[in-house]
Amino acid sequence: MGDVVGDLNSRRGRISHIEPRANSTIIHAHVPLAQMFGYATALRSLSKGRASYSMEPLNFQKVPENILTEILDKSGGAPARLGQEKKK
């Protein structure tokens, strides 16, 4: 379980509570969606295939400044074009 909690923390996750059950433990955490890509594979590897997860949207938050800078650097600083096709 410690490896799973560590992985969630490395994904900027915040553990809200850990709930022991009869034969298992449920970890409730809030993790940014962008950090969850590839999580199924990581969780399967960390738990030797025994764990599963589910997720649901909670809210929207402002992107941290360092992550915003990284996103803008990758996009060349160009603003997003929503609903518009690129001109050829």
Side-chain angles (χ1 to χ4, degrees):
M1 188 177 76
D3 290 340
V4 173
V5 170
D7 185 63
L8 289 171
N9 285 328
S10 74
R11 295 170 184 271
R12 295 191 297 133
R14 291 179 292 133
I15 308 297
S16 59
H17 66 281
I18 298 175
E19 182 181 332
R21 291 267 173 103
N23 295 326
S24 62
T25 302
I26 299 176
I27 301 170
H28 296 267
H30 302 154
V31 185
L33 179 61
Q35 305 301 316
M36 291 300 291
F37 294 107
Y39 185 67
T41 303
L43 182 62
R44 203 169 26 252
S45 175
L46 290 169
S47 69
K48 297 181 177 83
R50 296 176 297 189
S52 63
Y53 81 101
S54 65
M55 62 181 178
E56 61 185 56
L58 177 66
N59 61 13
F60 293 94
Q61 293 181 356
K62 185 176 178 180
V63 175
E65 198 65 38
N66 61 327
I67 305 292
L68 177 61
T69 302
E70 185 180 318
I71 292 169
L72 290 175
D73 286 347
K74 285 181 182 177
S75 71
R81 294 181 171 173
L82 299 176
Q84 297 177 4
E85 292 184 30
K86 289 184 179 180
K87 295 180 182 178
K88 294 183 180 182

